[in-house]
Amino acid sequence: MVATGVDALARAMPQVTGWAGGQVSDVVSSGDLIQAGLRREPADGQRLLAGRAALRLLVAYQRGESPHVARTLPIDRTCPRCGTGHGRPTLPGLSLSTASRRGAVLAGVAREPDRIGVDLERIPDQTLPGFDDYALHPAERERFSGRGDSTGLQFGGPQGIPEGTPTGGPVTQRIALWVLKEAVLKAAGTGLDHPPNQLLLGPGRAATTWHSAGRAHTLTWHPVERALDRHVEELWACVVPAPEGYLGAVAARRPDDVRDVGQDLLDRFTTTPTPASGLADLMD
């Protein structure tokens, strides 16, 4: 998984590419550049390129290859509906997923059977009108109203949102639910064609470890309890560390350790170590 700021990734490019003028555009494909050019806002194009660069570098790292082959990796993003290059990333033998919001990106790599999905959201001051009706299962809406079982999902504390993640109040908890659901629906391959309000996540039932720069702490995985699609019902999700002000999540077929490989990646790809940008993958 890659959890990094757009600016932080751009700053690492001279070291990654090996020349002073190295840029994010040097490690992406021509198709990635075309998709970025279609964005109306330059910042959105930069965000798109950052997410795709992070994924390509992570795949190259995972395969033991040079960063210079990142741009040539045959990652396919063909949309099955319209045939353009904005679909889910695929590569034989691996499961891939990306998410981006202005200023930050998240990407994940796992073995193909693990069916990884990731999501990333900035924590807002308040949710949009109608958010609960669209995003929350009736049981979740009841819990937030105070009429149901308030123990539901575990947020905060040693078994909840990872260390360093703001626990906040109802808004943060709603966004945590949203990123968990989006990660699940990406892993299932349905996206938002499956109504989020028909997806119910259960309490945390499995604990694994987040490994990062010699440190470790607990991740709590939540199983899907109810859904309209059996491919969705097979999945689990957990909240993972993300850049400050954001919430991130990863989903997979089964709970597993997650490893932040940011510093390892930069150490392998550069001669001058730079601060880790938060690159991680599901461990074997």
Side-chain angles (χ1 to χ4, degrees):
M1 216 169 49
V2 176
T4 184
V6 172
D7 292 340
L9 188 64
R11 288 194 299 269
M13 284 302 102
Q15 288 76 33
V16 170
T17 60
W19 68 290
Q23 300 178 26
V24 168
S25 58
D26 295 323
V27 296
V28 298
S29 69
S30 58
D32 295 332
L33 292 171
I34 290 172
Q35 287 299 312
L38 295 175
R39 297 298 189 270
R40 293 183 179 180
E41 297 293 334
D44 291 336
Q46 293 169 5
R47 171 175 57 83
L48 181 146
L49 288 181
R52 297 194 177 194
L55 179 63
R56 286 179 172 277
L57 290 170
L58 184 57
V59 171
Y61 171 89
Q62 195 274 342
R63 291 167 51 148
E65 297 177 335
S66 161
H68 301 292
V69 307
R71 68 184 307 166
T72 64
L73 291 169
I75 296 175
D76 185 12
R77 288 180 173 267
T78 304
C79 173
R81 291 183 174 178
C82 68
T84 60
H86 68 92
R88 176 186 174 89
T90 61
L91 185 67
L94 294 174
S95 179
L96 314 176
S97 184
T98 59
S100 63
R101 291 295 177 266
R102 185 163 296 188
V105 297
L106 183 66
V109 176
R111 296 161 299 190
E112 193 167 25
D114 289 331
R115 292 170 50 197
I116 193 173
V118 303
D119 193 51
L120 177 74
E121 294 287 346
R122 179 179 285 278
I123 302 171
D125 293 330
Q126 60 185 14
T127 56
L128 295 173
F131 175 88
D132 285 10
D133 288 340
Y134 178 73
L136 302 185
H137 187 277
E140 295 162 345
R141 293 199 295 271
E142 186 171 328
R143 184 168 67 249
F144 276 113
S145 74
R147 296 191 301 270
D149 177 8
S150 61
T151 61
L153 296 182
Q154 298 172 9
F155 295 120
Q159 296 297 320
I161 292 177
E163 297 167 10
T165 302
T167 55
V171 170
T172 299
Q173 294 184 14
R174 283 170 164 83
I175 298 304
L177 269 174
W178 176 253
V179 295
L180 288 165
K181 290 187 178 193
E182 277 243 68
V184 164
L185 296 177
K186 287 183 178 182
T190 65
L192 295 176
D193 286 344
H194 185 294
N197 61 10
Q198 295 302 308
L199 166 59
L200 177 64
L201 291 164
R205 293 205 180 102
T208 65
T209 304
W210 171 270
H211 302 266
S212 176
R215 300 186 303 272
H217 65 260
T218 300
L219 299 174
T220 298
W221 291 77
H222 302 272
V224 174
E225 286 198 338
R226 300 178 201 168
L228 302 179
D229 187 317
R230 65 179 180 85
H231 295 297
V232 178
E233 292 177 338
E234 297 171 348
L235 298 170
W236 296 68
C238 68
V239 174
V240 296
E244 185 177 357
Y246 295 83
L247 281 174
V250 58
R253 175 169 281 179
R254 61 183 177 86
D256 204 344
D257 284 3
V258 179
R259 182 164 52 99
D260 180 338
V261 300
Q263 192 62 59
D264 290 344
L265 185 152
L266 291 174
D267 287 347
R268 181 189 296 181
F269 285 173
T270 70
T271 56
T272 303
T274 58
S277 58
L279 309 180
D281 61 358
L282 286 179
M283 298 179 69
D284 291 337

